[in-house]
Amino acid sequence: MGVTMQKTAIVTGAARGIGLATTRLFLDEGRRVAMIDRDAQALQEAAEGLENVLPVLCDVSRPDQVEVMVAEVLAKLGRIDALVNNAGVADFGPIDQTDFQRWRTVMETNLDGVFLCSQACAPALKETRGTIVNIASISGLRASTLRVAYGTSKAGVMHLTQQQAAEWGEWGVRANCVCPGPVATKLAMAVHTQDIIDAYHDAIPLNRYGSEEEIGNVIVFLSSDKASFVTGQVIAVDGGFESTGIGLPSLRV
Ligand SMILES: NC(=O)c1ccc[n+]([C@@H]2O[C@H](COP(=O)([O-])OP(=O)(O)OC[C@H]3O[C@@H](n4cnc5c(N)ncnc54)[C@H](O)[C@@H]3O)[C@@H](O)[C@H]2O)c1
């Protein structure tokens, strides 16, 4: 199959966690994958041993770097069929301790990065009638303590997805949003204490954390032709957490 015929995907934050698992699942589907990350060493280690990948060092919060990254992907892979805006950072703290720099650090990757990468890929996605999957979080679906920056950034990602679906639908470009529940990645383990882990197990109907692959499978499905009439949707992949809310423990069976 010629390079320009083979479908491609861009996955941001691909050096580890959900992004790396999603990269592997796209490769299993026969896609070439541009792996985007700002952590040079982790990116190199993740790409080693994988075939059909193009690792590109890029901070998605930097407009200049995003422009160069998309140009490199197009020059080397020839087309963009799917964009997965997965790169994210977490910083949990009370509102009065979240100074403007902490707020900006979260916003610039989690929300600015999604805006910038999507806009830069839009002309190429228009050509392929491609797809966007943005990764938000259950923290964007409902408010909770300590999530002023993280939760607000993820709620913004959900709405940005709907804006993209509304404007780019006429090009045949679909945009959907996945809201993962807890997954034991480096990002989550940096902010989840044992108390939080136990409480999640208790509150999630399936009584456990999800795996990176369980999130990636839904991302790959939404990026595929099997989801050809699905756009503008926000889908929680969370073991039932969001649908049940935090019920009263005394009312549980
Ligand atoms: N793990 C969870 O429990 C969980 C739950 C809900 C949502 N999410 C979301 O899933 C996504 C992936 O998270 P993960 O748990 O796999 O995290 P992770 O920390 O394991 O991986 C994130 C990757 O993104 C990269 N990255 C961060 N900022 C970047 C930037 N500005 N430019 C380029 N790369 C950048 C990091 O270097 C890292 O390789 C994030 O958007 C996160 O908010 C995760």
Side-chain angles (χ1 to χ4, degrees):
M1 191 183 282
V3 166
T4 50
M5 292 298 291
Q6 197 173 0
K7 281 198 170 185
T8 70
I10 292 181
V11 180
T12 71
R16 62 175 193 239
I18 294 167
L20 179 55
T22 303
T23 297
R24 291 206 179 97
L25 292 167
F26 272 132
L27 293 173
D28 291 346
E29 301 263 299
R31 296 208 194 211
R32 291 158 66 91
V33 181
M35 301 174 70
I36 314 305
D37 212 284
R38 66 177 174 188
D39 182 335
Q41 194 185 340
L43 182 61
Q44 194 192 338
E45 285 168 13
E48 262 166 24
L50 295 178
E51 283 177 23
N52 288 321
V53 295
L54 173 69
V56 184
L57 193 61
C58 168
D59 183 333
V60 298
S61 70
R62 298 279 305 276
D64 49 342
Q65 292 188 24
V66 168
E67 207 173 299
V68 171
M69 176 273 284
V70 172
E72 181 177 343
V73 172
L74 281 171
K76 295 195 172 146
L77 301 185
R79 53 189 286 162
I80 300 168
D81 296 275
L83 168 66
V84 179
N85 284 306
N86 165 78
V89 296
D91 178 6
F92 295 170
I95 296 172
D96 59 0
Q97 287 170 31
T98 301
D99 63 25
F100 186 61
Q101 191 48 54
R102 284 179 73 177
W103 167 269
R104 280 303 309 146
T105 299
V106 173
M107 289 297 165
E108 67 189 14
T109 287
N110 291 9
L111 188 52
D112 300 354
V114 177
F115 172 76
L116 291 169
C117 290
S118 303
Q119 198 175 51
C121 289
L125 290 171
K126 187 177 177 183
E127 275 181 33
T128 57
R129 300 174 75 79
T131 59
I132 298 175
V133 176
N134 297 321
I135 310 307
S137 168
I138 49 171
S139 295
L141 285 166
R142 91 272 180 249
S144 68
T145 51
L146 311 184
R147 311 292 207 275
V148 60
Y150 186 75
T152 307
S153 74
K154 295 301 193 180
V157 169
M158 289 161 46
H159 190 78
L160 177 55
T161 306
Q162 292 169 336
Q163 293 292 145
Q164 293 169 339
E167 284 194 26
W168 294 342
E170 64 173 320
W171 299 347
V173 172
R174 298 184 294 106
N176 291 291
C177 181
V178 167
C179 293
V183 178
T185 63
K186 195 169 177 185
L187 172 144
M189 289 306 100
V191 286
H192 290 188
T193 60
Q194 191 58 47
D195 267 2
I196 293 177
I197 294 169
D198 293 345
Y200 267 131
H201 279 254
D202 183 57
I204 291 173
L206 292 181
N207 292 126
R208 62 176 176 85
Y209 275 41
S211 72
E212 289 86 339
E213 288 73 23
E214 286 175 308
I215 311 299
N217 278 328
V218 178
I219 297 170
V220 169
F221 164 70
L222 290 170
S223 306
S224 77
D225 290 342
K226 288 181 183 159
S228 53
F229 204 46
V230 182
T231 195
Q233 294 305 300
V234 175
I235 297 170
V237 185
D238 67 349
F241 179 78
E242 199 271 332
S243 71
T244 48
I246 302 170
L248 292 179
S250 54
L251 288 180
R252 292 202 195 129
V253 288

